[in-house]
PDB file of all heavy atoms in Angstrom:
ATOM      1  N   GLN H 183     -15.773  -8.240 -12.992  1.00 97.00           N
ATOM      2  CA  GLN H 183     -16.014  -9.724 -13.185  1.00 97.00           C
ATOM      3  C   GLN H 183     -14.855 -10.433 -13.708  1.00 97.00           C
ATOM      4  O   GLN H 183     -14.392 -11.376 -13.217  1.00 97.00           O
ATOM      5  CB  GLN H 183     -17.319  -9.967 -13.904  1.00 97.00           C
ATOM      6  CG  GLN H 183     -18.542  -9.205 -13.387  1.00 97.00           C
ATOM      7  CD  GLN H 183     -18.796  -9.565 -12.002  1.00 97.00           C
ATOM      8  OE1 GLN H 183     -19.209 -10.704 -11.605  1.00 97.00           O
ATOM      9  NE2 GLN H 183     -18.850  -8.593 -11.074  1.00 97.00           N
ATOM     10  N   ASP H 184     -14.354  -9.829 -14.874  1.00 96.00           N
ATOM     11  CA  ASP H 184     -13.139 -10.395 -15.558  1.00 96.00           C
ATOM     12  C   ASP H 184     -11.953 -10.546 -14.609  1.00 96.00           C
ATOM     13  O   ASP H 184     -11.362 -11.602 -14.378  1.00 96.00           O
ATOM     14  CB  ASP H 184     -12.807  -9.541 -16.611  1.00 96.00           C
ATOM     15  CG  ASP H 184     -11.558 -10.002 -17.438  1.00 96.00           C
ATOM     16  OD1 ASP H 184     -11.115 -11.222 -17.326  1.00 96.00           O
ATOM     17  OD2 ASP H 184     -10.825  -9.219 -17.983  1.00 96.00           O
ATOM     18  N   ASN H 185     -11.557  -9.325 -14.027  1.00 93.00           N
ATOM     19  CA  ASN H 185     -10.382  -9.328 -13.090  1.00 93.00           C
ATOM     20  C   ASN H 185     -10.574 -10.094 -11.889  1.00 93.00           C
ATOM     21  O   ASN H 185      -9.691 -10.801 -11.437  1.00 93.00           O
ATOM     22  CB  ASN H 185     -10.026  -7.817 -12.714  1.00 93.00           C
ATOM     23  CG  ASN H 185      -9.416  -7.112 -13.889  1.00 93.00           C
ATOM     24  OD1 ASN H 185      -8.469  -7.563 -14.421  1.00 93.00           O
ATOM     25  ND2 ASN H 185     -10.088  -5.965 -14.317  1.00 93.00           N
ATOM     26  N   GLY H 186     -11.899 -10.207 -11.283  1.00 95.00           N
ATOM     27  CA  GLY H 186     -12.107 -10.990 -10.161  1.00 95.00           C
ATOM     28  C   GLY H 186     -11.918 -12.510 -10.513  1.00 95.00           C
ATOM     29  O   GLY H 186     -11.204 -13.236  -9.676  1.00 95.00           O
ATOM     30  N   CYS H 187     -12.500 -12.956 -11.653  1.00 95.00           N
ATOM     31  CA  CYS H 187     -12.392 -14.268 -11.962  1.00 95.00           C
ATOM     32  C   CYS H 187     -10.808 -14.675 -12.243  1.00 95.00           C
ATOM     33  O   CYS H 187     -10.327 -15.755 -11.781  1.00 95.00           O
ATOM     34  CB  CYS H 187     -13.221 -14.700 -13.295  1.00 95.00           C
ATOM     35  SG  CYS H 187     -14.955 -14.593 -13.027  1.00 95.00           S
ATOM     36  N   TRP H 188     -10.131 -13.709 -12.894  1.00 93.00           N
ATOM     37  CA  TRP H 188      -8.805 -13.883 -13.218  1.00 93.00           C
ATOM     38  C   TRP H 188      -7.961 -13.979 -11.923  1.00 93.00           C
ATOM     39  O   TRP H 188      -7.151 -14.889 -11.747  1.00 93.00           O
ATOM     40  CB  TRP H 188      -8.319 -12.730 -14.051  1.00 93.00           C
ATOM     41  CG  TRP H 188      -6.936 -12.914 -14.648  1.00 93.00           C
ATOM     42  CD1 TRP H 188      -6.114 -13.977 -14.650  1.00 93.00           C
ATOM     43  CD2 TRP H 188      -6.314 -11.797 -15.575  1.00 93.00           C
ATOM     44  NE1 TRP H 188      -4.992 -13.617 -15.479  1.00 93.00           N
ATOM     45  CE2 TRP H 188      -5.251 -12.334 -15.915  1.00 93.00           C
ATOM     46  CE3 TRP H 188      -6.701 -10.718 -15.925  1.00 93.00           C
ATOM     47  CZ2 TRP H 188      -4.305 -11.616 -16.807  1.00 93.00           C
ATOM     48  CZ3 TRP H 188      -5.871  -9.931 -16.708  1.00 93.00           C
ATOM     49  CH2 TRP H 188      -4.686 -10.438 -17.205  1.00 93.00           C
ATOM     50  N   ALA H 189      -8.196 -13.109 -11.034  1.00 92.00           N
ATOM     51  CA  ALA H 189      -7.422 -13.096  -9.671  1.00 92.00           C
ATOM     52  C   ALA H 189      -7.774 -14.337  -8.943  1.00 92.00           C
ATOM     53  O   ALA H 189      -6.776 -14.947  -8.235  1.00 92.00           O
ATOM     54  CB  ALA H 189      -7.805 -11.855  -8.875  1.00 92.00           C
ATOM     55  N   LEU H 190      -8.926 -14.811  -8.924  1.00 94.00           N
ATOM     56  CA  LEU H 190      -9.445 -16.002  -8.185  1.00 94.00           C
ATOM     57  C   LEU H 190      -8.702 -17.160  -8.712  1.00 94.00           C
ATOM     58  O   LEU H 190      -8.116 -18.074  -8.048  1.00 94.00           O
ATOM     59  CB  LEU H 190     -10.899 -16.171  -8.101  1.00 94.00           C
ATOM     60  CG  LEU H 190     -11.645 -15.351  -7.111  1.00 94.00           C
ATOM     61  CD1 LEU H 190     -13.098 -15.439  -7.412  1.00 94.00           C
ATOM     62  CD2 LEU H 190     -11.237 -15.674  -5.685  1.00 94.00           C
ATOM     63  N   ALA H 191      -8.653 -17.283 -10.104  1.00 93.00           N
ATOM     64  CA  ALA H 191      -8.070 -18.444 -10.766  1.00 93.00           C
ATOM     65  C   ALA H 191      -6.455 -18.349 -10.369  1.00 93.00           C
ATOM     66  O   ALA H 191      -5.867 -19.486 -10.174  1.00 93.00           O
ATOM     67  CB  ALA H 191      -8.250 -18.317 -12.197  1.00 93.00           C
ATOM     68  N   ASN H 192      -5.912 -17.226 -10.382  1.00 91.00           N
ATOM     69  CA  ASN H 192      -4.474 -17.214 -10.084  1.00 91.00           C
ATOM     70  C   ASN H 192      -4.199 -17.558  -8.593  1.00 91.00           C
ATOM     71  O   ASN H 192      -3.275 -18.286  -8.401  1.00 91.00           O
ATOM     72  CB  ASN H 192      -3.954 -15.748 -10.324  1.00 91.00           C
ATOM     73  CG  ASN H 192      -3.791 -15.375 -11.763  1.00 91.00           C
ATOM     74  OD1 ASN H 192      -3.742 -16.196 -12.547  1.00 91.00           O
ATOM     75  ND2 ASN H 192      -3.479 -14.106 -12.045  1.00 91.00           N
ATOM     76  N   VAL H 193      -4.910 -17.125  -7.660  1.00 93.00           N
ATOM     77  CA  VAL H 193      -4.642 -17.474  -6.204  1.00 93.00           C
ATOM     78  C   VAL H 193      -4.935 -18.915  -5.970  1.00 93.00           C
ATOM     79  O   VAL H 193      -4.301 -19.468  -5.169  1.00 93.00           O
ATOM     80  CB  VAL H 193      -5.370 -16.381  -5.263  1.00 93.00           C
ATOM     81  CG1 VAL H 193      -6.830 -16.859  -5.171  1.00 93.00           C
ATOM     82  CG2 VAL H 193      -4.736 -16.452  -3.891  1.00 93.00           C
ATOM     83  N   CYS H 194      -5.836 -19.439  -6.700  1.00 93.00           N
ATOM     84  CA  CYS H 194      -6.171 -20.861  -6.478  1.00 93.00           C
ATOM     85  C   CYS H 194      -5.349 -21.900  -7.307  1.00 93.00           C
ATOM     86  O   CYS H 194      -5.443 -23.090  -7.057  1.00 93.00           O
ATOM     87  CB  CYS H 194      -7.622 -21.081  -6.931  1.00 93.00           C
ATOM     88  SG  CYS H 194      -8.837 -20.284  -5.655  1.00 93.00           S
ATOM     89  N   PHE H 195      -4.495 -21.320  -8.178  1.00 92.00           N
ATOM     90  CA  PHE H 195      -3.668 -22.288  -8.986  1.00 92.00           C
ATOM     91  C   PHE H 195      -2.605 -22.916  -8.127  1.00 92.00           C
ATOM     92  O   PHE H 195      -2.127 -22.531  -7.231  1.00 92.00           O
ATOM     93  CB  PHE H 195      -2.969 -21.348 -10.189  1.00 92.00           C
ATOM     94  CG  PHE H 195      -2.309 -22.229 -11.084  1.00 92.00           C
ATOM     95  CD1 PHE H 195      -2.966 -22.849 -12.022  1.00 92.00           C
ATOM     96  CD2 PHE H 195      -0.870 -22.357 -11.004  1.00 92.00           C
ATOM     97  CE1 PHE H 195      -2.233 -23.627 -12.991  1.00 92.00           C
ATOM     98  CE2 PHE H 195      -0.246 -23.042 -12.027  1.00 92.00           C
ATOM     99  CZ  PHE H 195      -0.901 -23.781 -13.065  1.00 92.00           C
TER     100      PHE H 195
END
Side-chain angles (χ1 to χ4, degrees):
Q183 303 305 297
D184 172 32
N185 285 306
C187 290
W188 191 2
L190 284 167
N192 284 351
V193 77
C194 291
F195 186 77

